[in-house]
Amino acid sequence: MPIVVVVGGQWGDEGKGRIVDLLARKARVVARYSAGNNAGHTVVNDRGEFRLHLVPAGIFYPEKTCVIGNGVAIDPEVLLDEIAQLQSRGIDTSRLVVSDRAQVIMPWHKLIDRLDEQLRGANAIGTTGKGVGPCFVDKVARRGIRVADLLRTEDLVERVKPALEFANRLITGVYGADPISFTECIERYKEFGQRLKPYVGDVQSIILEAHRRGEHVLLEGAQGSLLDLDHGTYPYVTSSVPSSSSGGAALGVGIGPTEISRVVGVFKSYCTRVGNGPFPTELFDETAEKLRDHGKEHGHGEYGTTTGRPRRIGWLDAVAARYSVRFNGLSAVALTRLDVLDDLPAIKICTAYELGGRIIDTLPASDSLLRQVRPVYEELPGWQQPTTHCRSFDDLPPQAKAFVRRVEELLQCPVDLISVGPEREQAIIVNPIF
Ligand code: GDP
Ligand code: IMO
Ligand code: MG
């Protein structure tokens, strides 16, 4: 039975949480494989409206196992808080399993994240400030603290001592800030370890055993492929591998790439980005305001789930999207927020870039060249009628159908799912994913 990856195709916030909540119905295991609580996944279903940062979006189905893989950076305080909040709303969290190999976000990671952004000044990345980047730096520098270390006090002391000593040299010497106390840190994290203990387990076995039993497994991505450390708009990216390329998804839960059968890319019907960095199709006009504030009164406007920052808005960038389809090896596209375009008289799609008088159809690797490209647009007529009630492709107005078909052509990938609202049932399954 298939292991399916759900990956963000753009710069994040495409609606991955919403799509996973829908697809999880048929899965046995749902696993988060990358990033940390820089992610914010909104889910609206029969249990209410939830904003998840670490817990997989399958948690609302009582019979599913939800796992947090080794590829995730875990802030234990945030995770414990999220578990408590879910429990207080009647959600059973006893089926949550956290990988003992996952990295832990420590107090110095959060401090360094802030200090480093200040030091970069005008060139700041615009991070979420959750300590995720510095945590992955320590992981790669082989100085990281893992969940397994939290569970045994001797191991914790032995691992934290050199890591904090190094961090404090950086904090005081490079950034000129006050050092972090070793004793306080150990006491707090020892307690977090004890509270997390009941959730810690062997994630890899859970996934592979479910797979071998013939059950469906869903791997939930975070962020978006254009924020990918390798393939994204470097250096304005995140510090992990959100894409399914480079085995990001398989790596993040400890399985081989051959186990993955399908990769579904989630794309908005337009584009958004939070944080800094190039955004060729960005809009600064009334259309941007209109798209940003669509559904704002119900908490579904384009404002960051994690930081509340207004998201930057632009037309669908098919050049960037096609690039993302290719390096993720996407089998299908899930197109979200189609309803947000309902009122527009005309809709643009960027089909190519102009750079120095030449037309190109790929994303330049150079940050400065990417900032110079100018989008070449194709304009399609809008449908100017509601789509939120549509439940089959044929229910859509002809102009909306034409828009979806054009997206398929430009992205060179079938649109198998269309989302026309934030709620679980507001979707059109064009071709079943499982
Ligand atoms: P994620 O990070 O990819 O999970 O996405 P976010 O949850 O951060 O942002 C997506 C936002 O769009 C959330 O507020 C969702 O409730 C909302 N949403 C998802 N799909 C749709 C849709 O098809 N239509 C509308 N109007 N809102 C949607
Ligand atoms: P979800 O899973 C949108 C962006 C930040 C910043 C850059 C680096 O909800 O789609 P970081 O804190 O990761 O070091 O910040 O990445 N970013 C996201 N943008 N959605 C996310 O997650 C993001 N996670 C990180 O805004 O530009
Ligand atoms: Mg989000």
Side-chain angles (χ1 to χ4, degrees), residues 13-18 40-42 300 305 311 337 339 419 421-422:
D13 305 321
E14 301 90 347
K16 298 172 292 295
R18 180 257 182 283
H41 296 179
T42 313
H300 297 292
T305 310
R311 294 174 183 152
R337 296 183 67 97
D339 56 298
S419 173

Side-chain angles (χ1 to χ4, degrees), residues 6-8 12-21 31-44 49-58 60 82 219-224 304-306 311:
V6 174
V7 66
D13 305 321
E14 301 90 347
K16 298 172 292 295
R18 180 257 182 283
I19 297 295
V20 170
D21 173 66
R32 261 286 300 273
Y33 66 80
S34 73
N37 58 304
N38 44 356
H41 296 179
T42 313
V43 172
V44 189
E49 177 164 338
F50 301 85
R51 290 169 204 278
L52 301 169
H53 301 285
L54 283 163
V55 174
F60 306 103
E82 193 162 308
L219 304 186
E220 176 178 349
Q223 282 90 52
T305 310
T306 300
R311 294 174 183 152

Side-chain angles (χ1 to χ4, degrees), residues 83-94:
I83 292 172
Q85 280 192 33
L86 287 166
Q87 285 171 345
S88 75
R89 294 179 64 186
I91 308 300
D92 172 19
T93 56
S94 63

Side-chain angles (χ1 to χ4, degrees), residues 243-313:
S243 69
S244 63
S245 135
S246 350
L251 179 74
V253 291
I255 60 171
T258 50
E259 309 280 358
I260 290 174
S261 21
R262 301 197 77 196
V263 186
V264 179
V266 187
F267 290 80
K268 270 182 212 195
S269 304
Y270 49 97
C271 274
T272 62
R273 177 166 197 165
V274 265
N276 303 328
F279 184 1
T281 62
E282 185 165 12
L283 294 170
F284 300 94
D285 58 5
E286 274 174 15
T287 306
E289 298 294 317
K290 200 169 173 171
L291 296 182
R292 184 178 296 114
D293 289 342
H294 182 102
K296 188 181 177 189
E297 65 282 14
H298 306 296
H300 297 292
E302 292 288 11
Y303 295 84
T305 310
T306 300
T307 58
R309 291 178 290 181
R311 294 174 183 152
R312 298 158 65 193
I313 310 275

